[in-house]
């Protein structure tokens, strides 16, 4: 749990934090537009598919906000044990929520295409919220166990020590490494198998279907395939320590640049994928978000051109 020091100059640290903060703000604004559209349209709140989708977006917003805040904190102050544990608890939980949520969305599409007569009964909004609660519970257990291992293995002096709040700094025992490997293997094996089985079943239905059923099955198959792509991108955040080790060993003088680049490409930019893959691609969501924001823009322009007090009364003659 020894502290490490930053090697960046003041200008480099400011530019990196500014770039990260600007990108995260833009991404959260885009994601926030989809969250706003969801809560403004009751048609989405009655569909379990969109309930799971918006949970994925909100989860990405939470994870992005805390990860960027943690990066800025590491450049400014050192944290003690308690606040660092809270931040890491949120980050580790939300990072595991994403793949599990993708698995739930894939299963929902599988039921809709392969078991259409049971979809209304099996996939309800209430069960979608129950699944979200289960996802948070399952993801919380490994994150909480990291704290329990620290409490059981580290001396009391650790709790008052200040250090740079990194996962590898706080959770650096052999028990943590073994637990991390087991959880990641089990988690991604389960999600990967779920996506593969769902995709193959939907693929078989798509080949045997005809007409509109074939089009729906093809769309569901493409959606599940995109789930797989996003799962691979989610895995980048777990493989970033190994990527950093290889790249830093090859170019040791560019250590800080490598760490910053991998952080952007594995933690920040992937958070933009959810709205681009699902929200923009979905015709219903695209139509509603255009309706909400285009109407607001048109109304604001109309108010500027014709202020409320400048409307001409009936019978008034312009000079």
């Amino acid at each position: 749990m020894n502290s490490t020091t930053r090697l960046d100059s003041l200008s480099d640290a400011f530019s990196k934090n500014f770039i990260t903060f600007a990108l995260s703000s833009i991404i959260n604004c885009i994601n926030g537009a989809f969250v706003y559209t969801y809560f403004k349209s009751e048609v989405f709140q009655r569909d379990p598919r969109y309930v799971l989708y918006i949970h994925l977006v909100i989860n990405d917003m939470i994870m992005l906000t805390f990860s960027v805040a943690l990066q800025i904190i590491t450049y400014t102050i050192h944290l003690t044990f308690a606040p660092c544990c809270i931040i890491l608890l949120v980050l580790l939980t939300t990072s595991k929520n994403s793949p599990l949520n993708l698995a739930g969305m894939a299963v929902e599409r599988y039921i809709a295409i392969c078991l259409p007569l049971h979809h209304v009964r099996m996939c309800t909004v209430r069960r979608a919220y129950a699944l979200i609660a289960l996802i948070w519970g399952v993801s919380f257990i490994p994150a909480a166990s990291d704290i329990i291992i620290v409490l059981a293995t580290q001396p009391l002096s650790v709790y008052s020590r200040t250090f740079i709040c990194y996962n590898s700094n706080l959770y650096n025992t052999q028990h943590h490494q073994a637990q991390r490997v087991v959880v990641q293997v089990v988690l991604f094996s389960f999600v990967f198998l779920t996506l593969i089985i769902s995709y193959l079943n939907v693929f078989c239905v798509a080949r045997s279907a005809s007409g509109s059923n074939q089009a729906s099955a093809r769309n569901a198959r493409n959606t599940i395939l995109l789930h797989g792509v996003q799962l691979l991108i989610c895995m980048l955040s777990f493989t970033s320590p190994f990527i950093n080790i290889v790249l830093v060993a090859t170019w040791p003088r560019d250590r800080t640049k490598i760490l910053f680049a991998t952080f952007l490409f594995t933690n920040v930019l992937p958070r933009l994928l959810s709205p681009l893959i699902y929200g923009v691609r979905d015709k219903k969501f695209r139509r509603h978000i255009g309706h909400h924001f285009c109407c607001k823009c048109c109304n604001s322009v109309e108010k500027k051109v014709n202020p409320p007090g400048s409307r001409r009364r009936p019978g008034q003659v312009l000079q």
Side-chain angles (χ1 to χ4, degrees), residues 20 28 61 81 107 109 112 135 158 165 168 184-185 191 198 217 232 290 300:
T20 306
N28 274 345
M61 293 176 67
F81 178 81
V107 171
R109 287 293 85 197
I135 289 173
V158 171
C165 189
S168 58
Q184 291 180 7
V185 170
V191 176
S198 301
L232 295 177
S300 62

Side-chain angles (χ1 to χ4, degrees), residues 63-64 67 236-237 240 262-271:
M63 181 163 55
L64 180 60
S67 61
L236 290 177
S237 61
S240 60
T262 54
F263 174 74
L264 284 183
F265 286 100
T266 61
N267 289 278
V268 178
L269 294 178
R271 306 286 79 78

Side-chain angles (χ1 to χ4, degrees), residues 3-213:
S3 301
T4 58
T5 57
R6 285 284 182 184
L7 303 177
D8 291 330
S9 62
L10 181 61
S11 60
D12 289 339
F14 175 79
S15 60
K16 289 178 180 179
N17 285 322
F18 178 78
I19 291 172
T20 306
F21 179 78
L23 283 176
S24 63
S25 298
I26 293 172
I27 293 172
N28 274 345
C29 286
I30 295 173
N31 288 339
F34 286 92
V35 175
Y36 175 83
T37 303
Y38 170 84
F39 285 105
K40 279 291 183 179
S41 306
E42 293 185 3
V43 64
F44 297 125
Q45 301 176 35
R46 295 193 296 265
D47 192 332
R49 174 188 177 188
Y50 293 105
V51 172
L52 292 175
Y53 161 70
I54 213 63
H55 170 254
L56 183 65
V57 175
I58 295 174
N59 181 80
D60 284 349
M61 293 176 67
I62 296 173
M63 181 163 55
L64 180 60
T65 301
F66 273 82
S67 61
V68 172
L70 181 59
Q71 188 209 22
I72 295 175
I73 288 173
T74 58
Y75 277 96
T76 54
I77 60 173
H78 290 182
L79 296 178
T80 56
F81 178 81
C84 182
C85 279
I86 294 174
I87 295 176
L88 292 179
L89 182 68
V90 176
L91 283 176
L92 294 175
T93 303
T94 52
S95 65
K96 293 177 178 62
N97 282 346
S98 295
L100 290 174
N101 201 99
L102 291 172
M105 295 172 69
V107 171
E108 189 275 334
R109 287 293 85 197
Y110 159 76
I111 296 174
I113 300 302
C114 299
L115 304 171
L117 298 179
H118 302 281
H119 181 261
V120 176
R121 178 176 57 84
M122 296 177 65
C123 298
T124 62
V125 173
R126 185 175 181 179
R127 290 188 175 183
Y129 284 118
L131 177 61
I132 291 172
L134 178 63
I135 289 173
W136 277 91
V138 171
S139 301
F140 177 79
I141 292 174
S145 65
D146 285 332
I147 300 176
I148 295 174
I149 292 174
V150 172
L151 296 176
T153 59
Q154 297 298 327
L156 296 177
S157 60
V158 171
Y159 310 137
S160 59
R161 189 183 306 170
T162 60
F163 46 86
I164 295 179
C165 189
Y166 279 135
N167 189 21
S168 58
N169 281 351
L170 186 62
Y171 306 139
N172 57 359
T173 66
Q174 294 182 351
H175 303 288
H176 288 108
Q177 295 174 2
Q179 184 254 28
R180 194 175 300 121
V181 171
V182 171
V183 169
Q184 291 180 7
V185 170
V186 172
L187 173 67
F188 283 102
S189 297
F190 168 76
V191 176
F192 182 76
L193 289 175
T194 302
L195 292 177
I196 289 295
I197 294 172
S198 301
Y199 178 82
L200 291 177
N201 281 278
V202 172
F203 179 78
C204 294
V205 172
R207 293 188 62 182
S208 60
S210 61
S212 60
N213 292 332

Side-chain angles (χ1 to χ4, degrees), residues 231-243:
L231 176 64
L232 295 177
I233 296 174
C234 286
M235 291 179 65
L236 290 177
S237 61
F238 294 95
T239 59
S240 60
F242 306 101
I243 297 174

